[in-house]
Structure formats: C-alpha cells, structure tokens
Amino acid sequence: MTDRECELNPLLKENFAPWRMEGDADDLEVIGEIPADLNGTYYRNGPNPAFEPTGRYHWFDGDGMIHAIRIEDGRAFYRNRYVKSDGLAEERAAGKALFDGVLTLTATEAPRFKNTGNTNIVSYAGKLLALVENALPTELVPCTLETIGVYDFGRRLASPMTAHPKMDPETGEMLFFGYSPFPPYLQLHVADASGALTRSEPIDVAWPSMIHDFAITREHVVFILCPIVFSFEALAKGKGVFSWEPERGTRLGVMPRGGASADVRWFETDACYVFHPLNAYAAGDEVVLDVARYQQLLFMAPSAARDPDWRGKNVARLHRWRIDLRRGGVRSEPLDEGDGEFPRIDERRLGRKHRFGYMAATGPEGNEAGLPVWTAVRKYDLERGTIETRPFGSGNGASEPLFVTRHGDAEEDDGYVLVLVYDQSRNTSEFLILDARNINDEPLARIRLPHRVPYGFHGNWVAA
Ligand SMILES: [Fe+2]
C-alpha cells in the first residue's frame, strides 16, 4: 500500500490509527473517585497494525494489542502490549508487513494469514487468552501481558476458535466453536472448569459461513447461520472470500447442551447478519435470543445510486427472536430503532433470563461518515421496555460497555458500566466508571489514560 492509499484509508486514520508504543503508566489521574469495591483488571483487545499494510486494509486485520487498566484500592495503572504472534515476529525481522488480510483477499494463490489474536481477551482456568476467530488462542501472562504463545489445550485443539467463548456462570465450563471454509465447517467444543478440553463435536451446517458468535442457555447451544457464504468461486472472480446470498435466509440451530449434530433443530428466519448476540435463555417451550441484527452485511458498499439506503441496512439494531421449540417457527421483534453494536449483559445472567443490556450506540448527532464509531452507550431495560442513552459527544467514540457487578450477590444492574471513550479534543482516551443504575450521572470516576487507545473490539474484567 502506498503512503497515499494509507492516508485515504479511514480505518488507519484518527482514532483508528495504530498506537505503536508499548508502555506502563502508574497512578493515573482520576477525576472523581474509584469505588472501593472495584478491584481487578480491565483488558481490552483491538487491531493495531505494527507495519503499514501491504494490501487493502480492513479493520479486522491489524495485529492485536492489549490495553490493561488495573484498579487497586482506588488507584489506577495502565499497561499495553502487542500480542506477539509468530507472524508479527517474522514481520519485525523483515521490517515490513508480510501477510494477507482475510476480508480483503482477492486472489486464491497461496494467501498467508497471521494469528493476530486481535478480537477478544478472556480469562479462563487462570489463563489469559487473546482470541481471533481464524486461529488458535494466544496465551499471555496476566500481569505483564507478555505473550507466552499459542494455546491449544495440550494439543487437543487443532482448528480455529471463536473469539466469543461462553463461560457458564454455574458450571464454570467454557463452550466455544470453530468454523472453517473446509469440512467440518463448524465444530462445537466444551472445556471444563479446570481447563481440559472434554468434547469436540462436528456440526453439520447447510453452507460454510463466517460465524462470529453464538449463544447458550442453561440447556441449549444456539448457532446462528447467516447467508454470508464462503465462496471460492466469488474469490476467484476477485469478489472477496465471503458472498452475501440473502435468498438463503438465516437459520437458527438449537441443540441440547449434551447433544450432537443430529440433535440440532434448525429454524428459519429472514436473511440478516449477526456478529453478536446479547444473550439467550429458555422460557417454557421457547428459546429467547436477543441479538444485534444487521438487515444485510456487505463489506464493500455498492454505489449510492444502486442502493441509497445501504447505510441504513448495514447497521445493527437490538432484536429479539423467540424460537418455538414445540410448534416450530421464529417470532421476530425489533427492540430498538436506533443502531449500535457490542451488546453486553451482566455475565452472571449468561444463558439465563436477563433484564438489562448495554450496547455501544450511535449518538444523537448521527454517523455521517458511516465508520464503526459509536459515540454513546445505550442501556436497555427489557422488562419495562425502556431505553436510556448516554452520549459522549460527536467524534468521541465509546468502546463496548462492560457491566461489572458490585459484588457476587448484587442484583442484576447493581454495579458499574466500564467504558473507554476517546476524547477527540484532547486526542486521548479516558476510562469511565459509570454507575450502571444512573448511566447519565457524572461518572463515578474518569481515569485519564496517558494516550489515546485506538478503537477496538472486546474487553473483559478480571476481578482481583
Ligand atoms: Fe466480536
């Protein structure tokens, strides 16, 4: 990629531009007061290309960088480190970018992909794992963030792992899946609380697809098969590796937790794309599945003349599906007209009935540029049917809002919403601790970070 092209790629500009320094900062400036009962570390992952991309760059392609904010007795500490993949080491030795991007691939001839580990960061069985869906996990040292290396469950996992495993709050199990353009297209895996991979089940699907996330209930695993199809035919024609084929519709696969491929029941609904469910739960004969639903997903925008409403369709809105296990069928209900992404619940409600949800959302000023920037946080009370919006101001993009409970026995929503917000006027970022019950009040604490944190993907809290 030439300098001119890099300059033009909006996903390498402003707060999408990589931050290439690694560092530590102690005793950060705090405005307000960090709650005494909040002790632990917030980890956030996101793409941060160490070298200027050689080809067309997509946001999903950059090297992972972990930003950690540790809170201890009212004080805050910051540290950031790259996920040091073998591919990144190779690039560092060469002094330039060497790998292909998955979404920007236009030729079938021997592409090379890097395990960027750039999407999510989770704590499981005492391990800190950086995840990206086209590769194995990468294990990091929780306190230093140094990279240990690829984690494959003692050589029991040989294929990619989703960036969105589900930790069952009661059993401590971790359920996850992996997808592939080659058979088996989909596999479900279960690991126990001690870290041992105990089950791997190939799951038959009607077509190979990009499956970013899934859902569980106490009794079920729920797969979301959208009409984004791996197509080597389209790739050979220079159209990219995924093809949007809405005539296929979307299929929701419900499987008993102990079941296998033959036990999956598939239910049809309208064509759409879902990166992220909010949560799912069983209610009588139904499985309720709340998702951030895109009406369509085209990675490359057609000309405005061909579809003037392209932007309106290619955003996600909170949506509820009720899957009727007894009579069949899916009831579909929009829950919000506004758009957003990165839905989260109180993780103690995972797979159980939730009342509250939180999402990064488009602020009142709208999103003229159409970039993946959300300048507000939206809180949903799904029992009362109310929505609250906390805006941060034009140009001040917010990260995925993360709910952290005040203590283990606290009620749902009794806790904090943690959110990283870019401050465009100061070209830096702040880490906000909001009172989850009063998200529009002054933040309980605003922690000023030593520099901006580029827009990224997912984060999680690990209590001390
Ligand atoms: Fe994701």
Side-chain angles (χ1 to χ4, degrees), residues 213-215 217 222-227 244 249-254 266-283 285-296 316-325 328-336 354 382:
D213 197 347
F214 74 139
T217 77
V222 187
F223 301 107
I224 305 171
L225 183 69
C226 299
W244 171 248
T250 290
R251 298 184 189 186
L252 309 176
V254 180
W266 292 96
F267 300 83
E268 297 212 12
T269 185
D270 293 341
C272 64
Y273 192 77
V274 171
F275 282 104
H276 304 116
L278 173 69
N279 191 33
Y281 58 90
D285 293 327
E286 291 183 330
V287 167
V288 178
L289 173 57
D290 290 350
V291 299
R293 178 187 184 274
Y294 293 75
Q295 192 177 334
Q296 64 174 212
R317 297 178 178 90
L318 194 64
H319 195 92
R320 175 162 285 179
W321 283 317
R322 291 177 179 276
I323 306 167
D324 191 327
L325 299 179
V330 178
R331 275 198 290 149
S332 200
E333 179 193 353
L335 296 177
D336 191 359
H354 58 278
L382 298 163

